[in-house]
Amino acid sequence: MTTSLCIGPRCGGQEGPREADTGRLICAGCTSRLRRDIGITPTLQRWLGHHLAPGAGAGPKVSGSRDAPVPVRIDVIDHQARIGDVLKSWVWLIAEHRGLTYPAVTTVDEVAPWLERHVDWATTRPWIDDMCAELDELRRVAHRLAPWRVHVVELDGPCPSCDLRALIRTSGETYIECDVRVGGCSALWTDDEYLAKVTSMVEVESQ
């Protein structure tokens, strides 16, 4: 039976793209990554909200009135707006294609769970690579504007997919991933998924 390769951006890292799941255009790892990138957007919004003042990172700023200057980072404000705009654009597309009613409340806290509920369907659409790329970009830019590196923990043990010791967990997120920045394969798991893989590997080695 012919298999198709995942069209998710950066799938597999240096190893190249993995096989897409049956009936989908992306693999299980890229599907999990998309869920992570959608689910983290409300946290990104709040995190950026705590980094509006200059000094929290590089970027231009603007002041308020001459009597009471209120320095604000324009780049952070712009990205907060972009997070909302990108999520709403995908909600609109999916609602239109599926004949659904567009959500009455369109805050990031409201539309992110709405999008997550439609991820499985979205993985069958030819534009899923664009959706993955845009959501990934939202997260990466937010981390660049207000770095979370001090909150990234390097985990012991090799990656179950590529055997490289490149596993990390970012504070505030519920996924373990194989970091492509150090040559990892970009695989992504929830805690339960990772535990199940490790348990299976141990059982095989003990036989």
Side-chain angles (χ1 to χ4, degrees):
M1 182 175 65
T2 303
T3 58
S4 300
L5 294 179
C6 174
I7 65 172
R10 301 195 300 153
C11 180
Q14 296 179 358
E15 299 295 322
R18 295 177 285 266
E19 290 185 5
D21 278 2
T22 302
R24 300 183 179 186
L25 296 177
I26 60 175
C27 66
C30 286
T31 301
S32 293
R33 184 176 302 277
L34 178 59
R35 291 186 187 279
R36 187 276 307 273
D37 291 344
I38 294 172
I40 200 65
T41 50
T43 301
L44 295 180
Q45 280 277 51
R46 290 188 286 272
W47 178 261
L48 291 173
H50 291 298
H51 292 78
L52 292 174
K61 62 183 180 180
V62 64
S63 297
S65 67
R66 186 172 301 175
D67 294 332
V70 183
V72 175
R73 291 183 59 193
I74 296 177
D75 53 352
V76 172
I77 292 176
D78 286 347
H79 195 59
Q80 283 186 303
R82 175 160 173 73
I83 289 173
D85 290 343
V86 168
L87 292 187
K88 285 185 282 188
S89 71
W90 287 111
V91 168
W92 181 267
L93 179 69
I94 291 172
E96 182 177 357
H97 281 208
R98 306 202 75 181
L100 302 173
T101 301
Y102 190 75
V105 180
T106 56
T107 63
V108 171
D109 283 322
E110 293 290 338
V111 297
W114 192 98
L115 273 180
E116 283 191 88
R117 291 195 295 271
H118 296 276
V119 163
D120 287 338
W121 178 83
T123 62
T124 68
R125 303 294 94 189
W127 38 255
I128 186 61
D129 56 335
D130 292 330
M131 185 179 186
C132 289
E134 286 199 358
L135 270 296
D136 176 69
E137 184 251 356
L138 291 181
R139 179 177 177 271
R140 288 188 293 107
V141 171
H143 281 233
R144 186 172 70 245
L145 292 173
W148 290 17
R149 283 298 303 168
V150 295
H151 302 291
V152 175
V153 178
E154 297 179 358
L155 305 181
D156 294 329
C159 169
S161 293
C162 69
D163 206 37
L164 188 70
R165 292 183 181 274
L167 298 178
I168 60 172
R169 183 200 297 278
T170 302
S171 178
E173 299 183 357
T174 57
Y175 289 88
I176 295 169
E177 66 179 305
C178 189
D179 193 355
V180 295
R181 292 171 298 181
V182 293
C185 68
S186 81
L188 197 78
W189 308 273
T190 63
D191 285 335
D192 289 343
E193 290 169 343
Y194 178 71
L195 179 60
K197 283 186 173 291
V198 172
T199 301
S200 177
M201 291 170 63
V202 171
E203 290 176 349
V204 169
E205 292 180 358
S206 63
Q207 291 177 356

